[in-house]
Amino acid sequence: MSQPVRTRFAPSPTGFLHIGGARTALYNWLYARKHGGVFVLRVEDTDAVRSTGESLDIILDGLRWLGLDWDEGPECGGNHGPYFQSERGDIYDAYLQKLQAADLVYEDDGAIRFRVPDKDFTVRDAVCGDVSVNLKVQGARGFDPETKQEIEKNPDLVIRRPNGSYIFHFVNVVDDIEMQISHVIRGEDHLSNTPKHLALFEAFGVEPPQFAHIPLNLNEDGTKMSKRDRGALIHEYVENGFLPEAVNNFMALLGWSPKDDAEIFSIDELIERFSLEAVNKSNSKFTYKKCLWVNAEHLKALSAADLREKAAPFLKTGGISPDDDRIPAALELARERAELLSAIPGVIAPIFADPLEYDDEAVTKVAAKEGVTEVVDVLISALEKVDETAWKADSIKSAIHDAAEANDMKMGAMMQPCRVGTMGSMSGPDLAPAMELIGKEGVLERLSEFRTKLS
Ligand code: GLU
């Protein structure tokens, strides 16, 4: 019987949740969910100086927001805990004793070194293919930055520092053994560490997990992404009004390609379609524009109720009551334009504004058009004739259309003054449905005020 799937995300809580880390978490989570496995969250907090509770909170909040729930780990516990490396000292001591008993380690100036065998270790990586390294040969060579000369080094791996703290490679492997991890999916920056990990697995007499190193995430210009780059930090997606399902979708595409050209996936579709075989070998390029596009597509796909719920906090911040009866219809207009939840209030604010603020530049531009006052007069009298009970987008549109024809005016020449007069600016949502929401009285009031501005 094959081993049950157990994956893990093993962040070090020393900063923010970065998109690269979140993508690693997502791939591990997708793999576990796809195979009915277990997703473990392990906190690699051995660096007591740099690890902080604040950073841990940011990481956990980010994972929760993305919906990447863990089956074992902080808060929920599990059978393989504790899930903080800082609490696992006894386990590491016991594993060190195993190596001591097998004479595989020795003391060197207070540190403990693991004797690396003189042989090739081959990482059989699900993404990168086979990578072979002889640690004894590789580790014996070093570079002295001062003399700029190659120097000989002790190739044996330090696994415990003179101060008693354990090195990353050792605790990482011990935990993967103890937590029975079947698949290690992590960033390609760890590929060069993996032969060392294989040597430790062998020393403990344990079959290593399947490794899959995922390509790095670069900026569009090929430089390494840093936390200062736009789109680098997960909490900024939350604040900027992205949907978590869109961020998951976008992160999935950073390094994984479905077989067809499809690009928009729900989380269930991602679970169904994700595979390690389809993870790209080459580095991925991060583009914020694409992120926005993916988010806009997910906004369009939200149910009306979900859209209302998710937009509510942003509406409140924008000074619009989410409980207004016109909100559902306004949100339908907004989602055609807004790429982000945070952009929704801006799109629909003119509908709810009282008084409406006019964009001076737009007013000046419209005022400069010949015959504009006549156009507005025609608009006012045409709209006055629309029955209050028939005040719907279609009847508004046909009233304007009929008035244009009757007065030998072009529709284009009517619509711009109509838009600036009722919505205050040149751009905005689909006009007739917006006018329907403003209401007959409101529209006529706005147009008369606009008429006054023009004369
Ligand atoms: N704590 C390591 C990191 O954040 C985890 C490495 C691993 O996934 O094995 O890079």
Side-chain angles (χ1 to χ4, degrees):
M1 220 178 81
S2 64
Q3 211 189 341
V5 167
R6 290 177 58 87
T7 64
R8 86 307 194 265
F9 177 49
S12 304
T14 55
F16 294 108
L17 180 60
H18 194 271
I19 189 150
R23 182 189 57 162
T24 299
L26 172 68
Y27 284 17
N28 278 286
W29 183 89
L30 286 174
Y31 197 81
R33 293 291 170 263
K34 183 179 176 103
H35 296 281
V38 169
F39 174 58
V40 178
L41 178 59
R42 175 171 87 222
V43 183
E44 301 211 327
D45 59 347
T46 47
D47 186 338
V49 180
R50 293 178 59 226
S51 299
T52 67
E54 198 189 353
S55 164
L56 179 67
D57 288 344
I58 291 173
I59 293 170
L60 299 190
D61 284 349
L63 294 174
R64 276 191 214 101
W65 181 75
L66 289 165
L68 305 180
D69 55 331
W70 52 98
D71 307 303
E72 293 177 23
E75 294 172 7
C76 61
N79 292 333
H80 302 79
Y83 293 90
F84 290 85
Q85 286 188 331
S86 57
E87 296 170 16
R88 297 175 63 81
D90 292 350
I91 298 171
Y92 305 140
D93 291 344
Y95 270 76
L96 176 61
Q97 276 164 22
K98 288 188 195 189
L99 296 183
Q100 281 164 334
D103 196 24
L104 291 173
V105 289
Y106 61 93
E107 211 181 306
D108 177 18
D109 255 348
I112 294 182
R113 283 187 187 265
F114 165 65
R115 296 180 211 282
V116 293
D118 185 4
K119 64 179 238 185
D120 273 0
F121 281 97
T122 303
V123 185
R124 304 210 182 279
D125 195 272
V127 177
C128 305
D130 290 356
V131 181
S132 296
V133 173
N134 181 319
L135 296 168
K136 193 118 188 157
V137 175
Q138 187 199 51
R141 283 199 314 266
F143 185 73
D144 182 350
E146 295 227 328
T147 61
K148 308 208 181 340
Q149 300 284 322
E150 223 179 59
I151 44 165
E152 260 192 46
K153 274 179 48 194
N154 182 348
D156 291 338
L157 190 67
V158 171
I159 57 170
R160 205 180 73 174
R161 299 181 188 89
N163 70 4
S165 65
Y166 288 99
I167 294 283
F168 157 73
H169 305 295
F170 180 75
V171 293
N172 188 265
V173 168
V174 169
D175 288 348
D176 283 341
I177 293 172
E178 278 286 298
M179 295 180 182
Q180 295 171 10
I181 299 303
S182 63
H183 293 74
V184 169
I185 305 168
R186 61 185 172 191
E188 206 183 87
D189 47 332
H190 285 293
L191 182 60
S192 61
N193 294 327
T194 309
K196 295 180 185 125
H197 298 181
L198 289 181
L200 286 166
F201 275 104
E202 186 181 82
F204 290 121
V206 175
E207 259 313 293
Q210 169 70 61
F211 287 97
H213 287 89
I214 53 184
L216 297 182
N217 212 348
L218 303 176
N219 285 317
E220 258 181 293
D221 62 4
T223 54
K224 215 172 158 234
M225 247 187 124
S226 89
K227 61 180 181 217
R228 279 171 295 278
D229 289 314
R230 190 156 70 146
L233 305 174
I234 295 302
H235 69 268
E236 290 182 355
Y237 287 88
V238 184
E239 289 154 16
N240 291 341
F242 278 87
L243 297 167
E245 54 270 41
V247 179
N248 281 326
N249 185 162
F250 177 72
M251 290 195 302
L253 296 177
L254 281 175
W256 165 81
S257 309
K259 296 269 174 300
D260 51 28
D261 288 337
E263 291 198 284
I264 300 300
F265 301 102
S266 68
I267 198 75
D268 288 339
E269 287 165 338
L270 286 177
I271 294 172
E272 196 191 311
R273 299 188 58 161
F274 182 77
S275 74
L276 292 175
E277 292 74 51
V279 171
N280 304 335
K281 291 185 181 16
S282 52
N283 291 333
S284 52
K285 295 236 167 118
F286 176 89
T287 38
Y288 195 72
K289 227 172 120 187
K290 176 109 182 234
C291 240
L292 287 172
W293 175 76
V294 171
N295 199 64
E297 292 302 306
H298 278 270
L299 268 183
K300 286 185 193 132
L302 275 185
S303 73
D306 282 350
L307 178 61
R308 189 168 190 178
E309 189 191 316
K310 299 205 177 216
F314 293 91
L315 292 174
K316 278 188 200 146
T317 311
I320 300 172
S321 164
D323 304 321
D324 191 294
D325 289 347
R326 296 168 294 170
I327 284 295
L331 289 177
E332 291 311 318
L333 293 180
R335 70 159 117 200
E336 291 304 316
R337 303 257 149 191
E339 289 174 313
L340 296 170
L341 289 168
S342 54
I344 288 178
V347 175
I348 58 175
I351 296 174
F352 300 92
D354 188 18
L356 176 69
E357 274 178 37
Y358 289 88
D359 168 9
D360 291 340
E361 218 175 291
V363 175
T364 313
K365 207 166 162 193
V366 171
K369 298 249 156 86
E370 219 188 290
V372 67
T373 47
E374 255 171 68
V375 168
V376 178
D377 287 339
V378 167
L379 276 170
I380 292 174
S381 76
L383 294 170
E384 264 170 353
K385 285 185 208 113
V386 179
D387 196 77
E388 180 87 50
T389 53
W391 187 258
K392 293 271 175 268
D394 282 348
S395 34
I396 295 168
K397 236 188 274 173
S398 39
I400 299 175
H401 188 263
D402 293 349
E405 246 179 37
N407 292 277
D408 209 13
M409 290 172 173
K410 291 212 171 71
M411 261 312 254
M414 310 249 336
M415 290 319 279
Q416 203 180 51
C418 188
R419 176 176 285 285
V420 176
T422 51
M423 296 288 282
S425 75
M426 294 280 189
S427 60
D430 206 3
L431 186 56
M435 289 168 73
E436 175 183 330
L437 292 177
I438 297 166
K440 181 175 174 181
E441 200 188 317
V443 165
L444 289 172
E445 261 172 29
R446 288 175 183 200
L447 284 174
S448 326
E449 194 190 329
F450 183 56
R451 174 71 178 79
T452 323
K453 278 184 187 291
L454 294 176
S455 43

